[in-house]
Amino acid sequence: MRIAVIRYNAGNIQSVSYALERLGASFEVTSDPEKIQTADKVIFPGVGEASTTMRFLQEKGLNHLIMSLQQPVLGVCLGMQLLCRFSEENDTTCLGVFPVDVRKFGLNDNLKVPHMGWNSLDKISGWLPAAIQGEFTYFVHSFYVPVNAWTVAETQYGIPFSAAMRKDNFFAVQFHPEKSAQTGEKILQAFLNV
Amino acid sequence: MLTKRIIPCLDIKDGRTVKGINFISLRDAGDPVELAAAYAAQGADELVFLDITATTEDRKTFAKLVKEIAQHVNIPFTVGGGISSVADVGPLLEAGADKVSINSAAVRQPQLIDELAKAFGTQCIVLAVDARKVNNSWMVHTHGGSRPTEHKLFSWAREGQNRGAGEILFTSMDHDGTKSGFAIDPLQKLNELLTIPVIASGGAGNAMHFAEAFMLGKCDAALAASVFHFGEIKIPELKTYLRAANIPIR
């Protein structure tokens, strides 16, 4: 199996690579459309700001490429948010795979933003291993995807939001599996196994 | 539910953890990678590595070490020590660090916080603030606490937040090393004042001190060094204690 990790101006590409190394997976970090297109699986990582990142993807022509992929694709953190339709982060039009909008956490309820740290996963379904119900993963984000028809795991921060989603061949997680200890490894492995 | 974080802090010199670490189970307690992996396995929620050397040559050693840590450790970690420019931070994040902490350079040049937040995002900028009470005011000190400044803790922390810091790491110099508990009053005030997470540091001596920091100080995370390194507080036992006190813990 050949995994392509999409190389772009995201912060956590290195961390995702190391996590795949620890799982013994063979992968290539690349922005070559041909290699991404022909990979068995694609990981779309992301740490950064939505509008800058979308602009970068557009300049490289990666936006159309990502939307057209037929193999399993995993969006991580900002990668998940960019797979949605629109983000309130600098009013950014995103890729639109998931027809939902990304919202900013409110400053009410004395919630600190960013939502940073280990939070639990609830209402696990779909491609995620059932055994991770109630386990903790590491989150760092100020924007969130509301619970929707494609949500496969929820997390609570003031309100419930989408911790993970799936639509067709597109998989997505809001947390950082690459930084989420054994639970994160189980989730990455589950994606490698789909 | 979002949990409170327990963060061991490791001082690094010449690519090694500084002497004084007494971890029975380790083959080489001076090896930061092995120590970090041991803490991660014990349930530490994050790690902080402070480079206490400052020369350019040593900084390269540190970046190499950061890469090794990132390869072997599956939890988030922050690196700091001597960071004074955007150019210092790029290589550390590229090597796999999740966050960087800045301290003296931010006081000298507050614009640095804005620049780093703009370049890398607020989520990876930790503003470390060392303060002690002087004539009834919490005053910020720099250079490992050796130099007093004109900054007051609360206004400086708020300025840091407004400039783009994603977290505040507050060390009470009055409590650091005393093992008499964290500085609860200023923690409370910081947590009322700020909308970003606050990490408490300085004073940890037993499990109850962590419970107080979370329940009374309302902090989001608590950091300690020697009590973990010497095995005086074991992370699994600490977490069991905190869970029993109904504190949300991973």
Side-chain angles (χ1 to χ4, degrees), chain A residues 104-107 111-115 141-143 157, chain B residues 166 195-197:
Chain A
K104 183 161 176 52
F105 277 121
L107 288 174
L111 281 187
K112 291 189 176 179
V113 178
H115 170 227
H141 58 127
S142 301
F143 295 81
Y157 192 57
Chain B
T195 58
I196 56 175

Side-chain angles (χ1 to χ4, degrees), chain A residues 83-144:
Chain A
L83 288 174
C84 295
R85 183 170 52 197
F86 170 85
S87 172
E88 286 185 358
E89 187 170 19
N90 292 317
D91 293 334
T92 305
T93 301
C94 303
L95 298 169
V97 169
F98 294 95
V100 288
D101 296 344
V102 182
R103 307 276 179 216
K104 183 161 176 52
F105 277 121
L107 288 174
N108 49 359
D109 305 328
N110 291 322
L111 281 187
K112 291 189 176 179
V113 178
H115 170 227
M116 183 185 287
W118 297 79
N119 204 330
S120 52
L121 301 177
D122 193 18
K123 302 190 180 168
I124 303 292
S125 66
W127 63 281
L128 292 170
I132 61 165
Q133 170 71 32
E135 289 191 12
F136 295 89
T137 52
Y138 189 80
F139 292 83
V140 184
H141 58 127
S142 301
F143 295 81
Y144 71 96

